[in-house]
């Protein structure tokens, strides 16, 4: 897999979102996002992601901060898998599926949540 960090606002298309526990993801962190391309026939129907968002803004990272995903560069954000509480600046999601090698690949960002 080839992963690249891209600095700058990833946009808010598709937001707000409602997570499985009823929490609302209202905004994206505007510091940057990650783009991943599947390589060498990589395919997974069940993976976990841990992203270190040290220095991200304009919101505070806390246990409820959400990892968001999109499969079309500049497309709509969506939720995939299950939220796992952030630890420090590391934002997590488990049980995810699909990393693509077409177009912009799969992109991962950080979303601000509002407690239910």
């Amino acid at each position: 897999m080839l992963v690249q960090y891209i600095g700058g606002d990833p946009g808010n298309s598709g937001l707000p979102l409602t997570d499985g526990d009823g929490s609302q993801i209202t905004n994206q962190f505007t510091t940057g996002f990650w783009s991943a391309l599947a390589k060498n026939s990589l395919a997974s129907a069940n993976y976990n992601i841990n992203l270190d968002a040290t220095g991200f803004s304009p919101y505070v990272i806390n246990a409820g901060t959400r990892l968001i995903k999109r499969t079309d560069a500049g497309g709509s954000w969506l939720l995939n898998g299950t939220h796992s509480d952030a630890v420090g600046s590391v934002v997590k999601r488990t049980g995810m599926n699909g990393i693509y090698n077409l177009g912009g690949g799969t992109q991962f960002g950080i979303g601000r949540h509002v407690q239910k």
Side-chain angles (χ1 to χ4, degrees), residues 14-115:
L15 298 178
L17 294 167
T18 302
D19 210 345
D21 66 357
S23 293
Q24 291 284 314
I25 295 85
T26 57
N27 302 91
Q28 78 286 5
F29 282 66
T30 58
T31 307
F33 61 100
W34 294 261
S35 180
L37 291 172
K39 295 289 186 181
N40 301 320
S41 302
L42 172 73
S44 178
N46 187 2
Y47 63 90
N48 303 331
I49 294 280
N50 297 337
L51 297 176
D52 187 343
T54 298
F56 267 46
S57 63
Y59 312 107
V60 174
I61 295 174
N62 58 38
T65 301
R66 301 302 205 257
L67 190 146
I68 53 180
K69 170 184 170 181
R70 62 183 171 199
T71 56
D72 179 17
S76 293
W77 291 110
L78 56 91
L79 295 168
N80 178 246
T82 304
H83 169 70
S84 183
D85 287 353
V87 176
S89 62
V90 178
V91 181
K92 305 175 181 187
R93 203 149 181 100
T94 62
M96 298 182 76
N97 62 60
I99 294 180
Y100 303 96
N101 63 357
L102 301 173
T106 301
Q107 296 180 341
F108 301 95
I110 309 297
R112 176 179 180 244
H113 88 292
V114 176
Q115 294 188 7

